[in-house]
Structure formats: C-alpha cells, structure tokens
C-alpha cells in the first residue's frame, strides 16, 4: 500500500500507529464490483461461513474506523456493452454467467438493491442497450420479500426506453450460475 493515497477508499483505515490497513473482520473471497470500463467501484466479500444473522456477503467498508469511509452498493458490469443485457443479483454470479455465455451481465448486490440501477440502465441505453433480461434466483418464486422487490424492479424497467423479459429455469438450480454450471459440466462430461 506504500505510495498510494488510500484516504477516501472504502475498506482502508489508519490503525493506532497511523499506518494504513484493511478492514478485514471475517474470512472470505474479495469480489470486485466493476463499472462498464472495468474500474473497481467497491468490493464485496463472500464469507467462508454465513454470519449468525443470515448473510454471506459483506461490503468492504471502513466507515467506523479512523480515516475510514463507507462503501456503496454499485452496479457491476461483466462484459462489453451489447444490445441485450442480463440483469442478475450478485457480482460473482455475473462474472460466472458472462464467462460461460459471453453475454453482457449487469449485477446488483441483491434484488432489493435498486438504488443505482436506474442510473446505470439510463447510461447503458445511451450506449445502445435495447433489451434487458432479468435472471434472478428462483427463490423469488417463494420469497414474498423478493417478490415485492421484483415488482419495484418491473416498475423501474417499465419506465425506461427499452424492452425487458425474464429468464426462468428449473428451480432445482437456484441461480442462473448454478444452472449454467450444471449444463457446462454435463456437456464436458459427455465429450
């Protein structure tokens, strides 16, 4: 970290001796959230073990530390801008789906995190995006919290200058990444 200015960068703070350090509380994998140009906007941590109060993801943030700062839940983009964009929940899922399909995937941290989505989609429509396919985890069919958030998403999409639809797959695979991975593994097993 020497030679870099870390003031104002979420997840970093000064320790008791005034040295810059990282706010790491639990073990996990760091997942970057990138804008359409590939620049890292924030980092999420997929925890090795679920927290006692549910979640398995944390935002890399140092808001409660000396010279630390909080992080935002930005939209993550995997792949170049194309006419059709897949909209998914989860940055890591977006990277997986893009890797196996070659499709452009826009990710929000969760279906209830719509704060920056409208701005991102407005920018993308100016760049040629004309269609959005939602690809949210299949548990939205059973979870009323997710269903309510999905209704808000549909309202948001309906107010934008694009068409949209929803991909569905067998509920035995919760996420599109799970479904695509299974298809990929079966294909390579048969080859």
């Amino acid at each position: 970290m020497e030679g870099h200015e870390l003031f104002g960068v979420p997840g970093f703070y000064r320790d008791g001796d005034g040295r810059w350090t990282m706010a790491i509380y639990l073990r996990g994998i760091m997942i970057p959230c990138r804008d359409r140009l590939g620049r890292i906007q924030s980092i999420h941590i997929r925890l090795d073990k679920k927290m006692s109060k549910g979640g398995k993801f944390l935002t890399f943030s140092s808001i409660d530390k000396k010279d630390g700062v909080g992080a935002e839940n930005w939209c993550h983009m995997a792949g170049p801008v194309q006419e059709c964009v897949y909209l998914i929940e989860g940055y890591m899922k977006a990277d997986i789906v893009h890797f196996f399909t070659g499709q452009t995937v826009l990710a929000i941290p969760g279906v209830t995190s719509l704060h920056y989505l409208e701005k991102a989609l407005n920018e993308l429509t100016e760049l040629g995006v004309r269609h959005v396919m939602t690809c949210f985890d299949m548990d939205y069919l059973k979870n009323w919290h997710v269903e309510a958030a999905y209704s808000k998403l549909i309202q948001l999409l309906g107010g934008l200058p694009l068409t949209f639809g929803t991909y569905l797959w067998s509920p035995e695979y919760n996420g599109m990444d799970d479904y695509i991975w299974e298809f990929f593994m079966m294909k390579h097993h048969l080859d």
Side-chain angles (χ1 to χ4, degrees), residues 57-159:
F57 286 91
L58 286 177
T59 302
F60 186 53
S61 173
S62 53
I63 196 164
D64 58 344
K65 302 290 187 183
K66 181 181 179 190
D67 291 330
V69 66
E72 300 288 334
N73 284 322
W74 302 101
C75 295
H76 169 67
M77 184 124 166
V81 177
Q82 297 180 52
E83 194 170 300
C84 180
V85 169
Y86 291 4
L87 179 60
I88 200 166
E89 58 181 319
Y91 304 154
M92 188 165 62
K93 288 180 184 189
D95 290 337
I96 291 167
V97 170
H98 169 68
F99 178 82
F100 286 110
T101 67
Q103 296 296 315
T104 302
V105 185
L106 183 65
I108 55 179
V111 73
T112 60
S113 301
L114 304 178
H115 185 73
Y116 292 104
L117 181 60
E118 186 172 8
K119 180 181 178 196
L121 287 172
N122 278 323
E123 181 181 312
L124 291 173
T125 57
E126 290 175 12
L127 296 170
V129 171
R130 300 290 172 254
H131 190 70
V132 172
M133 290 300 294
T134 63
C135 309
F136 292 117
D137 289 356
M138 295 305 290
D139 62 1
Y140 91 92
L141 298 172
K142 299 179 269 182
N143 184 330
W144 69 270
H145 290 292
V146 175
E147 188 178 327
Y150 188 75
S151 294
K152 289 181 184 177
L153 171 65
I154 296 304
Q155 287 178 337
L156 185 149
L157 291 173

Side-chain angles (χ1 to χ4, degrees), residues 2-23:
E2 207 169 303
H4 297 281
E5 180 57 53
L6 296 174
F7 189 80
V9 177
F12 294 93
Y13 68 96
R14 291 187 194 270
D15 65 15
D17 294 327
R19 293 180 303 222
W20 285 103
T21 190
M22 294 177 16

